Amino acid sequence: MNNLLQNLNSSQLEPTLQTDGPMIVIAGAGSGKTRVLTYKIAYLMSKGVDAFNILALTFTNKAAKEMKQRISSMLDDNESKNLWIGTFHSVFAKILRIEADKLGYPTNFTIYDTQDSQKLVSSIISELNLDKEIYKYKQIYSRISSYKNSLITVKAYNSNNELIEADRQARRPRLIDIYSEYVNRCFKSGAMDFDDLLLKTNELLSRFPEVLSKYQNMFRYVLVDEYQDTNHSQYLIVKALADKFQNICVVGDDAQSIYGFRGANINNILNFQKDYDDVKLFKLEQNYRSTKNIVKAANSLIEKNQKRLEKVVWTDNDEGSKIKVNRLLTDGEEGRFVASSIFENKNSQQLQNKDFAILYRTNAQSRAFEDSLRKRNIPYRVYGGLSFYQRKEIKDVLAYLRLMVNENDEEAFKRVINFPTRGIGQTTINKLIVQANTLNVSLYSLCKNIDRAEVNISSGIKLKVLNFINLIESFKISAKTKNAFDITNEVVNDTGIIKTYSALTSIEDQAKIQNIEEMLNGIKDFVEIQKEIPESTGSIGEFLEDIALATDLDKDDQDTNKVALMTIHLAKGLEFPIVYIVGLEENLFPSAMNLNSRNDLEEERRLFYVALTRAEKKAYLSYALSRYRWGKLTDSEPSRFIDEINEEYLDILTPINENKFRPLVSSKPNNEPSFNKLRFKKVTAKPKGNFKKLKENTNKSNLFDSNLVVGNLVEHIRFGKGEVVNIEGRGADIKAEIKFENGGLKKLLLRFAKLKIIG
């Protein structure tokens, strides 16, 4: 372990060796803060701290997974599997499943995603006969979400006259009725939304002292990454858990606090030293990511903020080129400029597509860049668009799976009771909903006893309802003995979903079949991976939990060599050799919605700081003098943030004070800008098949049939090359411990592990 600590610089080593008591690590962009957390956990374990006594909270599953793998590799043992490392939501979901009965929930409660929650809110608004123009379901859901993150329950709302009056002034006096019914319906359905994972954990720890004591004693060391992004609810949970031993380490950068719009409170990090006695403060100020020019430019920008912790970020990296500022006539021209620049940089510097990122303030800005990249045959991926698991056909299949795990899931029930069509119309469904609410039972429970229920529907319709219930019951029986792939395969065939789409001939409907096939491929892959983990079953429940808690950036893309297009909020934590920050115009960036207060403006400036510090080698800034808005070309002016960067770090290609109607680049007679003057031979892109066919593994070198010994060098399809360090078990339960170059130490069941002996 001591040898490994030599990889840390003195600033990183100090907080790593400080094991006890409250401490805060203020970490500049690219300074290795996650590295410090990782080494600190490994150091604690090397000193005898039980892995079960360490809790580490992150903001992405990807970060948690990488930390675990790195710790496993550093310690050369399997103890890292016992660490509680994960996102706030995944860790608290795990605790809530263990303690669910105390709050009246089943252990297999459903986790509603945003779409599920919004759909339920929309249904309630309709049932209450409210004006949908005043009670817009997305706005109402957002309001409920903000209440929950501020720990404002229905009871708390009813005793808060200011909130009641604010909603009355907004002509939404019945918002509380929607909130109350939404909470009741979720509870009746055995479901929690994402905000509940925090709200209910707070409730659990505050209402049940014995539960709080249990987890305080369990988590003797609490570590939090990206502490500046925590909201009030997360802050209270962390404070409660760490209160007994106060061995709490928080790591973050106030200059990268950019989630105020969803409840993040920068004061959590600014005031940390007031929350605990004798807090140790450490600063990581050396940037390992970016060139001197980029680091100094970012410093000159962020120093304009008044609300910040003092630090001076510096780097030993090369000076690097100045940041290029590009002024274009229109947003379309901006898109063409960026695509041309990527094309030229790729060819002149032998770079790959994945070395480039285009960052913008809002998702709507992606269109111009997508159009231009397509015309240049440059592959790209838009992050933050419609997730694969949000597509209708996928949500339909998932609804069947969710009903198998939790029959009281009302949203899943309503989604598929008449899909594929089985003659149960919306009028019937509405009658069932009314009766279920009257009796305060779930829809599924009502329909199970439909023969005895007092619902005004015909005997023929009742039979159809019972047939649906029997179908679900048969799936539930099958699910007891089948893995996630086999039961899903059964569902898509026995329900008639595939048959329904196959009977349709449109391209869109055929694409839906391909998406379902790809979903099955993904579940097959999930099951195969789970087989290698001894304690896993590869069940439907495990699969649903896995996708419910995944974030967009956690999802794997088979072809990763693509230009990344994303909002700056999504780019946080990432880095790219070359970054384009586009749409730098007043009222766009900074956003017009965030110009009303200093706090909002400072968050916008921090957002720009985050964008700039994603760049390793080069950064390009661009803005357009005119931009289409609602179909009309409107004038724009450059963002104040460009002017706030010290000019010595900028290469202004199109001076800001020039007459905006003067041509910015030399033009051909046909008015084609000069950056398009070079013509390149068109390359036909290699077809990219997104859907792999399912097939059995035909690898003849499967180690279960071979004479594997300690010391063998092997290769795994996911973890790469590794060395066998231990073999245990007998027969079908033989396991091998393998130290992989990339994946760390893994224990795999040989009958499922797809391995080759290579030495």
Side-chain angles (χ1 to χ4, degrees):
M1 185 69 200
N2 288 332
N3 290 334
L4 286 172
L5 292 180
Q6 292 176 1
N7 295 327
L8 301 175
N9 65 30
S10 58
S11 297
Q12 294 169 335
L13 186 61
E14 283 185 70
T16 301
L17 296 178
Q18 177 67 40
T19 55
D20 296 334
M23 56 182 287
I24 180 171
V25 182
I26 304 300
S31 62
K33 62 180 177 58
T34 306
R35 181 183 180 85
V36 166
L37 273 182
T38 305
Y39 274 81
K40 187 173 182 64
I41 293 169
Y43 182 70
L44 285 169
M45 291 173 65
S46 75
K47 290 299 180 183
V49 176
D50 192 323
F52 284 104
N53 294 144
I54 299 173
L55 168 65
L57 297 168
T58 68
F59 273 83
T60 67
N61 293 311
K62 184 179 179 182
K65 183 179 178 182
E66 288 174 353
M67 283 174 66
K68 242 181 182 178
Q69 289 178 346
R70 182 68 180 139
I71 292 165
S72 175
S73 176
M74 289 163 67
L75 295 179
D76 200 21
D77 66 26
N78 225 21
E79 273 297 299
S80 64
K81 286 185 177 178
N82 299 326
L83 288 164
W84 281 61
I85 297 182
T87 64
F88 282 88
H89 291 94
S90 64
V91 168
F92 299 157
K94 189 175 178 181
I95 290 174
L96 286 168
R97 290 205 187 280
I98 295 170
E99 312 292 346
D101 61 305
K102 293 179 177 62
L103 297 173
Y105 282 84
T107 56
N108 61 339
F109 62 81
T110 300
I111 300 174
Y112 278 177
D113 62 21
T114 301
Q115 196 178 90
D116 295 323
S117 297
Q118 289 180 345
K119 196 171 180 183
L120 177 55
V121 168
S122 180
S123 297
I124 292 168
I125 291 169
S126 295
E127 291 165 25
L128 294 175
N129 294 315
L130 298 174
D131 187 334
K132 293 181 181 179
E133 289 303 309
I134 296 174
Y135 293 91
K136 295 180 178 178
Y137 72 93
K138 287 186 179 180
Q139 291 180 4
I140 301 299
Y141 166 72
S142 179
R143 187 90 167 162
I144 291 172
S145 175
S146 68
Y147 288 156
K148 288 187 175 185
N149 280 310
S150 299
L151 303 184
I152 300 172
T153 60
V154 171
K155 184 178 179 181
Y157 179 101
N158 275 321
S159 59
N160 189 319
N161 291 328
E162 286 185 19
L163 289 176
I164 294 170
E165 180 59 22
D167 284 327
R168 191 184 69 77
Q169 293 285 347
R171 297 193 304 141
R172 295 184 302 205
R174 297 198 64 187
L175 190 145
I176 184 57
D177 297 329
I178 302 170
Y179 186 13
S180 178
E181 184 62 14
Y182 174 77
V183 169
N184 290 337
R185 295 275 278 274
C186 284
F187 183 75
K188 191 172 70 176
S189 297
M192 294 189 195
D193 62 24
F194 260 55
D195 301 313
D196 282 328
L197 297 178
L198 302 180
L199 180 68
K200 296 299 179 184
T201 302
N202 264 303
E203 183 183 341
L204 184 71
L205 299 180
S206 60
R207 281 182 53 199
F208 302 95
E210 71 280 8
V211 175
L212 174 60
S213 179
K214 170 185 173 180
Y215 288 103
Q216 283 179 335
N217 287 317
M218 182 173 174
F219 301 134
R220 292 172 181 246
Y221 292 86
V222 178
L223 302 95
V224 186
D225 196 11
E226 307 284 10
Y227 191 64
Q228 77 281 347
D229 292 333
T230 53
N231 61 28
H232 183 59
S233 188
Q234 291 163 330
Y235 162 81
L236 289 177
I237 296 170
V238 169
K239 200 167 188 309
L241 291 174
D243 192 51
K244 183 171 184 178
F245 294 99
Q246 299 209 353
N247 295 323
I248 178 170
C249 171
V250 301
V251 182
D253 181 6
D254 58 297
Q256 296 186 66
S257 178
I258 59 173
Y259 293 110
F261 69 96
R262 68 182 190 199
N265 187 350
I266 191 173
N267 291 317
N268 291 347
I269 193 167
L270 296 177
N271 297 331
F272 181 81
Q273 290 166 276
K274 298 177 183 177
D275 287 337
Y276 300 91
D277 296 326
D278 302 319
V279 174
K280 299 286 192 300
L281 171 67
F282 302 92
K283 294 182 181 181
L284 303 181
E285 296 174 305
Q286 182 175 1
N287 179 298
Y288 289 93
R289 175 187 300 152
S290 307
T291 63
K292 283 187 173 72
N293 253 306
I294 292 170
V295 169
K296 290 176 181 177
N299 284 347
S300 72
L301 170 87
I302 203 63
E303 69 183 16
K304 307 297 189 297
N305 271 9
Q306 294 178 10
K307 208 171 186 180
R308 63 193 180 92
L309 297 169
E310 286 298 325
K311 65 178 179 300
V312 180
V313 181
W314 59 277
T315 184
D316 269 339
N317 291 342
D318 295 338
E319 197 71 29
S321 57
K322 290 186 176 184
I323 296 166
K324 290 180 170 54
V325 180
N326 303 275
R327 188 178 88 174
L328 292 310
L329 289 172
T330 66
D331 48 351
E333 188 176 293
E334 185 183 36
R336 290 189 290 276
F337 164 75
V338 171
S340 295
S341 177
I342 290 173
F343 190 93
E344 288 161 16
N345 272 310
K346 272 180 62 181
N347 285 284
S348 63
Q349 299 180 48
Q350 287 75 53
L351 296 171
Q352 299 185 68
N353 296 315
K354 65 181 179 181
D355 294 329
F356 299 88
I358 303 172
L359 308 182
Y360 34 74
R361 182 64 180 83
T362 64
N363 274 312
Q365 292 170 253
S366 73
R367 182 204 53 79
F369 303 100
E370 290 188 67
D371 289 347
S372 297
L373 290 170
R374 275 198 302 270
K375 288 171 184 174
R376 284 283 190 178
N377 286 322
I378 299 174
Y380 65 88
R381 177 181 174 186
V382 179
Y383 291 81
L386 185 65
S387 163
F388 178 81
Y389 290 105
Q390 295 299 324
R391 292 182 170 97
K392 179 194 178 300
E393 61 275 15
I394 302 303
K395 293 277 283 186
D396 290 337
V397 177
L398 289 176
Y400 278 102
L401 305 185
R402 282 165 47 176
L403 270 183
M404 278 183 259
V405 174
N406 174 16
E407 66 180 35
N408 294 325
D409 187 337
E410 182 178 321
E411 288 307 300
F413 183 93
K414 290 190 296 185
R415 188 173 192 102
V416 296
I417 186 174
N418 197 40
F419 182 82
T421 304
R422 46 178 64 91
I424 304 172
Q426 191 58 48
T427 301
T428 298
I429 296 170
N430 290 341
K431 290 178 180 179
L432 294 172
I433 291 170
V434 169
Q435 185 65 6
N437 289 339
T438 301
L439 298 175
N440 198 27
V441 297
S442 71
L443 276 169
Y444 196 92
S445 177
L446 176 74
C447 293
K448 251 177 146 177
N449 302 286
I450 195 69
D451 283 337
R452 299 192 298 276
E454 296 180 7
V455 186
N456 184 25
I457 56 177
S458 68
S459 57
I461 298 294
K462 285 185 177 181
L463 181 60
K464 291 174 181 177
V465 170
L466 275 177
N467 287 339
F468 171 69
I469 294 295
N470 290 335
L471 179 68
I472 300 300
E473 289 295 316
S474 69
F475 288 148
K476 285 163 71 174
I477 293 169
S478 292
K480 291 178 181 178
T481 56
K482 292 183 176 179
N483 63 37
F485 171 77
D486 291 332
I487 189 61
T488 306
N489 210 13
E490 184 178 319
V491 166
V492 298
N493 287 294
D494 289 4
T495 58
I497 289 176
I498 293 294
K499 185 178 179 182
T500 297
Y501 287 127
S502 297
L504 303 171
T505 57
S506 74
I507 295 174
E508 291 80 4
D509 288 310
Q510 293 308 303
K512 289 175 181 178
I513 296 176
Q514 291 177 323
N515 286 338
I516 293 171
E517 180 189 2
E518 180 59 15
M519 179 190 181
L520 286 166
N521 289 333
I523 298 176
K524 181 73 169 178
D525 189 48
F526 171 82
V527 169
E528 291 301 311
I529 292 169
Q530 297 303 104
K531 280 181 180 178
E532 299 180 18
I533 303 171
E535 64 270 23
S536 175
T537 61
S539 68
I540 281 294
E542 287 180 354
F543 172 71
L544 291 174
E545 180 102 354
D546 185 67
I547 62 169
L549 296 171
T551 64
D552 188 52
L553 291 174
D554 291 324
K555 295 178 176 67
D556 293 326
D557 189 341
Q558 290 175 340
D559 181 6
T560 57
N561 188 24
K562 296 177 180 177
V563 175
L565 278 71
M566 65 183 81
T567 64
I568 300 162
H569 284 100
L570 275 178
K572 191 166 173 296
L574 305 178
E575 55 188 39
F576 304 89
I578 299 181
V579 168
Y580 296 83
I581 307 171
V582 299
L584 276 166
E585 297 141 35
E586 284 292 298
N587 297 320
L588 182 56
F589 195 12
S591 167
M593 293 186 293
N594 290 330
L595 295 176
N596 299 319
S597 72
R598 179 169 297 281
N599 283 343
D600 289 344
L601 179 59
E602 291 201 351
E603 176 151 326
E604 287 288 298
R605 190 176 288 113
R606 292 194 295 268
L607 189 60
F608 184 39
Y609 176 85
V610 166
L612 193 53
T613 54
R614 299 312 91 200
E616 297 172 353
K617 303 294 184 187
K618 287 185 180 180
Y620 291 81
L621 312 181
S622 66
Y623 65 96
L625 290 174
S626 55
R627 184 173 295 274
Y628 276 102
R629 294 187 178 176
W630 302 106
K632 293 182 179 179
L633 198 62
T634 58
D635 289 346
S636 305
E637 61 177 291
S639 169
R640 68 188 72 189
F641 296 150
I642 298 174
D643 195 45
E644 289 177 355
I645 298 174
N646 192 318
E647 195 170 340
E648 68 179 287
Y649 309 122
L650 301 178
D651 182 6
I652 300 177
L653 302 183
T654 48
I656 293 172
N657 59 357
E658 261 190 20
N659 185 307
K660 67 181 180 181
F661 296 109
R662 181 176 167 185
L664 303 176
V665 288
S666 59
S667 299
K668 295 289 185 181
N670 62 358
N671 293 323
E672 182 179 21
S674 62
F675 55 71
N676 273 336
K677 67 184 178 183
L678 297 176
R679 297 295 180 193
F680 297 89
K681 183 179 179 181
K682 187 173 181 179
V683 180
T684 304
K686 183 180 178 182
K688 298 178 181 65
N690 289 327
F691 309 112
K692 57 189 177 185
K693 293 291 183 185
L694 300 178
K695 58 182 180 182
E696 294 298 319
N697 176 41
T698 55
N699 183 357
K700 299 301 182 184
S701 301
N702 191 298
L703 292 178
F704 186 63
D705 298 321
S706 65
N707 297 316
L708 184 70
V709 296
V710 172
N712 274 147
L713 297 179
V714 296
E715 188 171 18
H716 185 275
I717 192 168
R718 275 183 78 235
F719 305 124
K721 295 177 182 177
E723 180 181 356
V724 179
V725 296
N726 186 38
I727 296 176
E728 61 184 59
R730 51 170 50 182
D733 294 320
I734 294 179
K735 306 180 190 75
E737 281 189 41
I738 304 168
K739 186 177 181 182
F740 290 101
E741 292 176 358
N742 298 322
L745 193 70
K746 302 287 181 186
K747 185 181 286 188
L748 306 179
L749 285 166
L750 291 188
R751 63 192 167 118
F752 296 119
K754 298 176 178 63
L755 297 165
K756 282 187 196 174
I757 297 176
I758 58 175

